[in-house]
PDB file of all heavy atoms in Angstrom:
ATOM      1  N   ALA G 424     -24.909 -46.018 -16.714  1.00 95.00           N
ATOM      2  CA  ALA G 424     -24.731 -46.409 -15.308  1.00 95.00           C
ATOM      3  C   ALA G 424     -25.076 -45.305 -14.313  1.00 95.00           C
ATOM      4  O   ALA G 424     -25.024 -45.518 -13.098  1.00 95.00           O
ATOM      5  CB  ALA G 424     -23.289 -46.879 -15.089  1.00 95.00           C
ATOM      6  N   ILE G 425     -25.417 -44.116 -14.810  1.00 95.00           N
ATOM      7  CA  ILE G 425     -25.724 -43.007 -13.894  1.00 95.00           C
ATOM      8  C   ILE G 425     -26.990 -43.342 -13.084  1.00 95.00           C
ATOM      9  O   ILE G 425     -27.957 -43.887 -13.626  1.00 95.00           O
ATOM     10  CB  ILE G 425     -25.920 -41.692 -14.676  1.00 95.00           C
ATOM     11  CG1 ILE G 425     -24.603 -41.284 -15.367  1.00 95.00           C
ATOM     12  CG2 ILE G 425     -26.396 -40.556 -13.748  1.00 95.00           C
ATOM     13  CD1 ILE G 425     -24.687 -40.015 -16.206  1.00 95.00           C
ATOM     14  N   THR G 426     -26.968 -43.065 -11.781  1.00 96.00           N
ATOM     15  CA  THR G 426     -28.124 -43.341 -10.909  1.00 96.00           C
ATOM     16  C   THR G 426     -28.678 -42.031 -10.336  1.00 96.00           C
ATOM     17  O   THR G 426     -28.066 -40.970 -10.461  1.00 96.00           O
ATOM     18  CB  THR G 426     -27.719 -44.243  -9.717  1.00 96.00           C
ATOM     19  OG1 THR G 426     -26.842 -43.479  -8.876  1.00 96.00           O
ATOM     20  CG2 THR G 426     -27.028 -45.508 -10.189  1.00 96.00           C
ATOM     21  N   GLU G 427     -29.806 -42.188  -9.657  1.00 95.00           N
ATOM     22  CA  GLU G 427     -30.507 -41.085  -8.989  1.00 95.00           C
ATOM     23  C   GLU G 427     -29.588 -40.283  -8.048  1.00 95.00           C
ATOM     24  O   GLU G 427     -29.773 -39.077  -7.866  1.00 95.00           O
ATOM     25  CB  GLU G 427     -31.652 -41.701  -8.167  1.00 95.00           C
ATOM     26  CG  GLU G 427     -32.723 -40.752  -7.694  1.00 95.00           C
ATOM     27  CD  GLU G 427     -33.608 -40.241  -8.821  1.00 95.00           C
ATOM     28  OE1 GLU G 427     -34.025 -41.069  -9.681  1.00 95.00           O
ATOM     29  OE2 GLU G 427     -33.848 -39.022  -8.842  1.00 95.00           O
ATOM     30  N   ASP G 428     -28.589 -40.990  -7.466  1.00 94.00           N
ATOM     31  CA  ASP G 428     -27.686 -40.346  -6.493  1.00 94.00           C
ATOM     32  C   ASP G 428     -26.982 -39.107  -7.043  1.00 94.00           C
ATOM     33  O   ASP G 428     -26.533 -38.252  -6.282  1.00 94.00           O
ATOM     34  CB  ASP G 428     -26.588 -41.335  -6.046  1.00 94.00           C
ATOM     35  CG  ASP G 428     -27.169 -42.459  -5.196  1.00 94.00           C
ATOM     36  OD1 ASP G 428     -28.368 -42.363  -4.853  1.00 94.00           O
ATOM     37  OD2 ASP G 428     -26.425 -43.417  -4.916  1.00 94.00           O
ATOM     38  N   VAL G 429     -26.867 -39.044  -8.355  1.00 94.00           N
ATOM     39  CA  VAL G 429     -26.096 -37.955  -8.960  1.00 94.00           C
ATOM     40  C   VAL G 429     -26.679 -36.585  -8.597  1.00 94.00           C
ATOM     41  O   VAL G 429     -25.955 -35.604  -8.459  1.00 94.00           O
ATOM     42  CB  VAL G 429     -26.031 -38.132 -10.500  1.00 94.00           C
ATOM     43  CG1 VAL G 429     -27.375 -37.842 -11.155  1.00 94.00           C
ATOM     44  CG2 VAL G 429     -24.946 -37.232 -11.085  1.00 94.00           C
ATOM     45  N   PHE G 430     -28.019 -36.565  -8.400  1.00 92.00           N
ATOM     46  CA  PHE G 430     -28.649 -35.246  -8.197  1.00 92.00           C
ATOM     47  C   PHE G 430     -28.176 -34.556  -6.916  1.00 92.00           C
ATOM     48  O   PHE G 430     -28.188 -33.339  -6.809  1.00 92.00           O
ATOM     49  CB  PHE G 430     -30.178 -35.386  -8.236  1.00 92.00           C
ATOM     50  CG  PHE G 430     -30.669 -35.690  -9.626  1.00 92.00           C
ATOM     51  CD1 PHE G 430     -31.032 -36.986  -9.992  1.00 92.00           C
ATOM     52  CD2 PHE G 430     -30.717 -34.683 -10.601  1.00 92.00           C
ATOM     53  CE1 PHE G 430     -31.452 -37.276 -11.283  1.00 92.00           C
ATOM     54  CE2 PHE G 430     -31.135 -34.979 -11.894  1.00 92.00           C
ATOM     55  CZ  PHE G 430     -31.505 -36.272 -12.241  1.00 92.00           C
ATOM     56  N   ALA G 431     -27.708 -35.384  -5.977  1.00 90.00           N
ATOM     57  CA  ALA G 431     -27.242 -34.795  -4.710  1.00 90.00           C
ATOM     58  C   ALA G 431     -26.040 -33.878  -4.925  1.00 90.00           C
ATOM     59  O   ALA G 431     -25.866 -32.883  -4.206  1.00 90.00           O
ATOM     60  CB  ALA G 431     -26.888 -35.890  -3.709  1.00 90.00           C
ATOM     61  N   VAL G 432     -25.183 -34.200  -5.906  1.00 90.00           N
ATOM     62  CA  VAL G 432     -23.972 -33.386  -6.073  1.00 90.00           C
ATOM     63  C   VAL G 432     -24.194 -32.180  -6.977  1.00 90.00           C
ATOM     64  O   VAL G 432     -23.315 -31.350  -7.149  1.00 90.00           O
ATOM     65  CB  VAL G 432     -22.762 -34.199  -6.612  1.00 90.00           C
ATOM     66  CG1 VAL G 432     -22.443 -35.359  -5.683  1.00 90.00           C
ATOM     67  CG2 VAL G 432     -23.005 -34.674  -8.031  1.00 90.00           C
TER      68      VAL G 432
END
Side-chain angles (χ1 to χ4, degrees):
I425 296 178
T426 68
E427 196 71 44
D428 291 352
V429 72
F430 290 102
V432 302

